Amino acid sequence: MAIPITVLDCDLLLYGRGHRTLDRFKLDDVTDDYLMSMYGFPRQFIYYLVELLGASLSRPTQRSRAISPETQILAALGFYTSGSFQTRMGDAIGISQASMSRCVANVTEALVERASQFIHFPTDEASTQALKDEFYGLAGMPGVIGVVDCIHVAIKAPNAEDLSYVNRKGLHSLNCLMVCDIRGALMTVETNWPGSLQDFAVLQQSSLSSQFEAGMHKESWLLGDSSFFLRTWLMTPLSIPETPAENRYNMAHSATHSVIEKTFRTLCSRFRCLDGSKGALQYSPEKSSHIILACCVLHNISLEHGMDIWSSPMTKPMEQPPEEEYEHMESLDLEADRIRQELMLTHFS
């Protein structure tokens, strides 16, 4: 006797024929502590994201339209903050791991579309001067409007035999260039650079360098460590300080530069998909780049909403490739060297 077999259409079960919205999970049904432990953010922050991204996540052209924006956002936050598509995460909001993956993709793209809204340098003179004043108040370093550095984020090996993503530790990664202010807010984020590029090469090819070279931020500079070239707009430490003024300059430089190191630790603590603890991002370089950028957008939004980014326990990013010291580079830009000497004479003598 033949046994009838019913083939279930999973997408039909999930989405329905009429694009009905699935509300399998209600924010009002759980506690604030539960939301923080599972998704890393408080209720009001999640409501704000629903309002911000809702239109993008409800587009008729998107396959996951029938899954509510609220559920999509929770799925994405769960991945960003845990680093894995755990079954219990999908079960908690009533969707499969495959659907979670699609939700993460949708939310990521919606956040990337809004990156310029939340990640940018100040455009008015008063805000720029406020940046300088804040940095000067930290360690006495004048003229600084941001601190720059790079961080490697592990990704899976691309399908093609492409060694450009293999960093100096032999791991596949993206080398991400970022600039932050004294609060840890990101003002520039470039996440697309392959891991084989060293920090100075990333900066040389970046849009950030083009902006400063074009004079968009006159009479201001960034601080970078010794893995970068000295430039008229980028102050680096002296490799071998010899005078008291040079030592004071280096000490002030180190204290100021530590802001971005702390920011990197905070990013990787809140967004565990970036720290390598659950393995590399299992996506193409392009998709991985977008996920990193989406986390940076969320980082800045959380700052705008008054969340204390320094309060959570800090974890280290993935082990970073060793830096090279570029002592020979200091003399390549004579004008930059003159500016640094004048800075030390005026403010650190």
Side-chain angles (χ1 to χ4, degrees):
M1 176 179 177
I3 300 176
I5 298 176
T6 301
V7 179
L8 298 179
D9 184 339
C10 293
D11 279 345
L12 177 60
L13 289 176
L14 279 172
Y15 305 120
R17 295 189 185 279
H19 288 300
R20 292 187 301 273
T21 297
L22 296 179
D23 292 312
R24 296 174 178 268
F25 183 92
K26 294 289 188 181
L27 281 176
D28 293 337
D29 294 341
V30 297
T31 65
D32 292 335
D33 288 342
Y34 176 83
L35 290 174
M36 286 296 297
S37 65
M38 285 290 287
Y39 307 105
F41 291 93
R43 188 185 313 275
Q44 291 306 316
F45 184 87
I46 296 171
Y47 280 140
Y48 172 78
L49 292 181
V50 172
E51 181 180 350
L52 177 71
L53 307 178
S56 296
L57 300 177
S58 301
R59 292 169 181 164
T61 55
Q62 285 189 340
R63 189 181 184 187
S64 62
R65 180 182 186 275
I67 299 180
S68 70
E70 182 178 284
T71 300
Q72 292 184 61
I73 288 167
L74 289 172
L77 293 180
F79 169 70
Y80 297 148
T81 57
S82 72
S84 66
F85 290 115
Q86 298 175 25
T87 302
R88 69 181 184 88
M89 189 72 71
D91 289 345
I93 53 179
I95 61 175
S96 67
Q97 287 185 318
S99 295
M100 272 198 69
S101 181
R102 286 191 287 271
C103 291
V104 170
N106 293 341
V107 174
T108 295
E109 291 311 305
L111 287 167
V112 167
E113 287 174 0
R114 292 160 176 81
S116 61
Q117 178 182 345
F118 296 100
I119 300 175
H120 54 79
F121 275 95
T123 55
D124 61 283
E125 188 175 334
S127 298
T128 301
Q129 185 59 48
L131 277 180
K132 295 179 182 180
D133 294 342
E134 290 169 351
F135 274 116
Y136 185 78
L138 175 64
M141 186 69 75
V144 178
I145 61 170
V147 186
V148 60
D149 209 345
C150 290
I151 181 172
H152 285 258
V153 176
I155 63 171
K156 74 173 183 178
N159 293 330
E161 294 183 3
D162 188 352
L163 297 179
S164 65
Y165 291 94
V166 179
N167 62 37
R168 295 176 64 208
K169 290 192 69 68
L171 303 174
H172 290 82
S173 67
L174 290 168
N175 194 6
C176 306
L177 178 74
M178 302 188 192
V179 176
C180 75
D181 67 14
I182 197 169
R183 300 179 304 127
L186 298 165
M187 300 182 291
T188 288
V189 175
E190 299 187 28
T191 59
N192 58 304
W193 300 104
S196 65
L197 283 181
Q198 296 182 39
D199 292 0
F200 77 90
V202 168
L203 182 59
Q204 280 182 327
Q205 300 176 49
S206 68
S207 59
L208 175 69
S209 177
S210 300
Q211 290 177 22
F212 276 87
E213 292 289 350
M216 290 182 65
H217 305 282
K218 294 180 180 178
E219 300 180 1
S220 307
W221 46 69
L222 303 175
L223 291 192
D225 62 21
S226 56
S227 63
F228 296 109
F229 289 91
L230 176 68
R231 289 286 181 258
T232 55
W233 48 269
L234 177 64
M235 294 292 104
T236 60
L238 290 122
S239 56
I240 306 177
E242 297 177 345
T243 68
E246 291 175 348
N247 277 293
R248 284 190 287 268
Y249 166 84
N250 268 17
M251 290 176 63
H253 189 290
S254 177
T256 308
H257 190 268
S258 67
V259 172
I260 197 162
E261 297 164 2
K262 194 174 181 181
T263 300
F264 286 164
R265 291 195 298 271
T266 300
L267 270 172
C268 293
S269 297
R270 186 179 293 281
F271 303 106
R272 303 302 293 273
C273 67
L274 306 182
D275 74 353
S277 64
K278 298 293 178 64
L281 287 172
Q282 297 299 302
Y283 296 91
S284 68
E286 181 182 8
K287 289 184 178 179
S288 296
S289 169
H290 286 187
I291 288 171
I292 301 166
L293 181 54
C295 290
C296 291
V297 173
L298 288 172
H299 169 84
N300 274 13
I301 295 175
S302 67
L303 274 172
E304 287 190 7
H305 282 249
M307 295 178 63
D308 183 3
I309 64 168
W310 310 124
S311 63
S312 57
M314 297 259 183
T315 61
K316 291 184 178 180
M318 67 166 279
E319 189 174 353
Q320 300 294 299
E323 295 179 356
E324 288 187 2
E325 300 288 333
Y326 297 101
E327 299 176 17
H328 63 283
M329 294 181 180
E330 294 188 355
S331 62
L332 295 182
D333 191 326
L334 296 178
E335 177 61 14
D337 187 63
R338 184 196 65 77
I339 291 174
R340 187 171 63 180
Q341 291 295 332
E342 183 177 315
L343 176 62
M344 288 186 289
L345 179 65
T346 304
H347 292 276
F348 296 99
S349 293

